[in-house]
Every structure is written in structure tokens, then in C-alpha cells.
Amino acid sequence: MKSVRPMLLIISLLGAGLLSGCEQDMSDLQQQVAALKARKSTRIPPIPQPKQADSFTYDAADRRDPFIEIVPAVRVAAIASGPRPNLSRNREPLEEFPLDALRMVGTITTSGGVFALIRTPDKVINRVTIGNYLGQNYGQIKSIDPTQVSLMELIEDGFGGWIARAASLSLDDSPSTPGANH
């Protein structure tokens, strides 16, 4: 117990010495604060009031409904007669994935026909044949050969119609569409 007291005394003296070293001349800081307080404050202009908008009462008696799109008769005929996906059919498992996430890994030829083997991103191999669907753009398989699966996708044209577009999955390549750069 006797050896602890001298040690505490030494630590106390060292601490007091260190703290006294922190005391500095703060006159320059005090001068700067005094100068800031002495400045005159500038008046901030008030926020301008918004201008009142002119009111308008819409009388639909002799005007068209602004929420109905007017489509020319030629465009209506093209939309009605163009390709359309069958939205009432049950979607197939490979339609859950984008086409560029699917990979063709081979083919199988049996007495029942030709089948393509398609690998999904989660490494599951699926067997598909002509007429099956894959990809998220209603892509229907049109032909299968040993190195490629050809399909026809339906893409919305932005005007209420659909456009048919050819696409393919190659055995050693990623999916392709005409005009795409690889």
C-alpha cells in the first residue's frame, strides 16, 4: 500500500504538468470573435410570395377528353392485325429468365424429336423442343439444330402493338439477335 501512494503522486504531478502545457495565449481567437460580433448584421430579404395562377374551368361540352389518346385509324388496324402474345396461356419455367442469362449446352435427338438442353443461371439444365417458350419477351422456339436454337420474340412497340423479332441461343455463344454486336 505504501508503494502505491508515491506512484499516484507522480502520476498526479505529470498530469498537472501536461494540462498546464495546454494553456495557450487565446487573445487572437478572442479578437476574432469580438470582430465578428461587432459587425453589423445584414437584413435578409423576405421570400417572395408566389404569383397566383389564373384559374381555368374545363367545360367538356365541346372539347375532347384529355385523357383519351386519339389513334389514327391506320394505326388501330395495324395494332389489331399485328402479332400478339397469348397472355392466357400458362407461362413456362424458362420464361422467368432473360434470354441473355440462358445458355445452350447441347442437343438430344430421340425418336420423339430433337431437344435442346438449356442451362439457367442457377445451373439447372432444362430440355426444350420446338414450340416451347423461353426468355422474358414471349420467345417461342421455331427451330433447333446441333449448334443453335432459333426463336421468335414479341416486343412491345410502345404504341400498343407488338413487333416480332428473331433471336437465337448458340451452343458456344451467348444469345444473339440480328444486328447485335458480339
Side-chain angles (χ1 to χ4, degrees), residues 22-60:
C22 292
E23 195 174 307
Q24 294 180 356
D25 182 27
M26 299 196 353
S27 61
D28 59 338
L29 180 62
Q30 290 170 346
Q31 287 174 354
Q32 190 175 8
V33 169
L36 287 173
K37 285 183 177 180
R39 280 197 298 184
K40 289 192 174 193
S41 65
T42 58
R43 181 170 160 83
I44 299 173
I47 297 173
Q49 293 297 320
K51 294 180 181 177
Q52 193 67 15
D54 295 333
S55 63
F56 177 77
T57 304
Y58 183 78
D59 183 17

Side-chain angles (χ1 to χ4, degrees), residues 56-67:
F56 177 77
T57 304
Y58 183 78
D59 183 17
D62 58 342
R63 294 191 166 113
R64 72 173 185 86
D65 186 344
F67 301 104

Side-chain angles (χ1 to χ4, degrees), residues 86-170:
N86 180 0
L87 300 176
S88 62
R89 69 172 176 80
N90 290 332
R91 300 207 20 117
E92 296 183 21
L94 293 179
E95 289 183 273
E96 152 184 357
F97 303 100
L99 192 60
D100 62 353
L102 301 173
R103 297 287 180 253
M104 179 182 179
V105 294
T107 57
I108 298 174
T109 304
T110 66
S111 59
V114 178
F115 298 93
L117 301 175
I118 306 296
R119 184 178 63 217
T120 61
D122 53 0
K123 308 290 187 226
V124 175
I125 306 290
N126 292 271
R127 185 181 74 169
V128 295
T129 190
I130 295 172
N132 284 129
Y133 290 85
L134 47 106
Q136 294 176 331
N137 292 322
Y138 307 99
Q140 186 175 23
I141 298 173
K142 297 298 180 185
S143 68
I144 299 173
D145 65 49
T147 60
Q148 179 173 293
V149 174
S150 298
L151 52 129
M152 191 62 64
E153 293 183 313
L154 294 175
I155 310 296
E156 287 186 87
D157 67 1
F159 298 105
W162 297 82
I163 299 171
R165 175 179 75 178
S168 64
L169 282 174
S170 297

